[in-house]
């Protein structure tokens, strides 16, 4: 009898399935929170759903925790999501991690709060140097939403300044990223010349390439997902 939305799934080296999502709880005072559960037997049975790190709401218990993504490396789990909190009326990208396979979780924290702007739809991957790479969209510099990128070299303890990926484009949202050897490719949708199209950029030697179209057509394009095979060939769907 409670709403559950937007799951994210990851599988570790021991074939344990980890899932995170957001939704209400039977305890209405907790509002919409990020949830987590895992299965050690291929999805036949699941652990009890838990809230990895409870976020207190902004005034009037407006919790607004949404759109989580989970990433697995070894025995470590990482969850990023967007949400309001006691100090921020605008949703911010939040981060929590577990170093014991999901048994316990760190206290959540805002990656890089920007009190005047929302931060939405975070996406997290590792690079070839085991640094965490985070993507989100926000109108940090003007009224147009743009794709931004930040890196953590210490497992999420600190993050470098945001870098704009979608430079020179109009309203840009919904990034997905994948590792290609030592490079990172990210794709997103931008509204340019009135219709949204899928663009991509490649990160190499600490710089992003100029955004390019994946495949232009006369129809609107939304919600890209990218992935890489063992030969570093990239696939993009939308």
């Amino acid at each position: 009898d409670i709403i559950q939305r937007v799951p994210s799934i990851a599988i570790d080296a021991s074939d344990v399935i980890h899932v995170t999502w957001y939704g209400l709880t039977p305890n209405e005072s907790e509002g919409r929170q990020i949830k987590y559960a895992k299965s050690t037997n291929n999805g036949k049975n699941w652990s009890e759903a838990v809230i990895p790190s409870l976020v207190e709401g902004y005034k009037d218990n407006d919790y607004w925790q949404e759109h989580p993504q989970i990433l697995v490396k070894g025995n470590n789990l990482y969850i990023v999501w967007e949400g309001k909190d006691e100090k921020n009326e605008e949703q911010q990208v939040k981060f929590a991690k577990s170093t014991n396979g999901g048994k316990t979780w760190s206290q959540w924290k805002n990656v890089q709060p920007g009190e005047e702007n929302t931060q939405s739809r975070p996406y997290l991957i590792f690079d070839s140097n085991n640094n965490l790479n985070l993507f989100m969209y926000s109108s940090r510099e003007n009224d147009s939403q743009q794709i931004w990128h930040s890196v953590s070299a210490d497992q999420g303890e600190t993050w470098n300044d945001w870098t704009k990926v979608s430079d020179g484009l109009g309203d840009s949202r919904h990034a997905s990223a994948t590792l290609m050897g030592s490079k990172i490719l990210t794709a997103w949708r931008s509204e340019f010349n009135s219709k949204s199209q899928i663009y991509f950029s490649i990160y190499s030697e600490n710089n992003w390439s100029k955004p390019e179209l994946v495949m232009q057509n006369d129809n609107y394009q939304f919600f890209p997902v990218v992935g890489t095979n063992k030969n570093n060939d990239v696939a993009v769907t939308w």
Side-chain angles (χ1 to χ4, degrees), residues 196-214:
S196 62
Q197 301 283 291
I198 304 303
Y199 286 78
F200 75 95
S201 179
I202 296 174
Y203 188 65
S204 178
E205 298 181 354
N206 298 321
N207 289 298
W208 286 99
S209 65
K210 182 180 178 180
E212 297 181 59
L213 275 168
V214 173

Side-chain angles (χ1 to χ4, degrees), residues 80-99:
V80 288
W81 70 95
E82 62 178 275
K84 302 180 180 183
D85 54 70
E86 286 183 306
K87 295 181 179 179
N88 291 281
E89 183 178 11
E90 306 289 359
Q91 65 263 34
Q92 304 293 305
V93 172
K94 291 174 165 54
F95 172 88
K97 67 180 178 181
S98 171
T99 58

Side-chain angles (χ1 to χ4, degrees), residues 113-159:
E115 297 179 0
E116 297 180 357
N117 303 101
T118 60
Q119 300 176 356
S120 300
R121 303 295 182 94
Y123 194 92
L124 191 66
I125 67 168
F126 274 100
D127 64 24
S128 59
N129 294 317
N130 288 322
N131 297 322
L132 286 166
N133 287 253
L134 175 65
F135 301 85
M136 61 91 177
Y137 70 82
S138 178
S139 57
R140 285 173 45 82
E141 293 181 346
N142 51 48
D143 292 335
S144 177
Q145 302 285 343
Q146 296 291 317
I147 305 300
W148 298 88
H149 170 238
S150 181
V151 179
S152 173
D154 54 13
Q155 301 294 298
E157 295 302 316
T158 59
W159 298 83

Side-chain angles (χ1 to χ4, degrees), residues 25 39 76 81 103 118 142 160 162 183 198 201 215 236:
T25 66
S39 173
N76 293 347
W81 70 95
K103 295 178 182 177
T118 60
N142 51 48
N160 68 4
W162 293 111
K183 300 177 181 180
I198 304 303
S201 179
M215 182 179 293
V236 184

Side-chain angles (χ1 to χ4, degrees), residues 7 9-10 17 21 81 114-115 130 191 226:
I9 189 168
I17 305 172
W21 68 96
W81 70 95
E115 297 179 0
N130 288 322
E191 287 190 2
V226 298

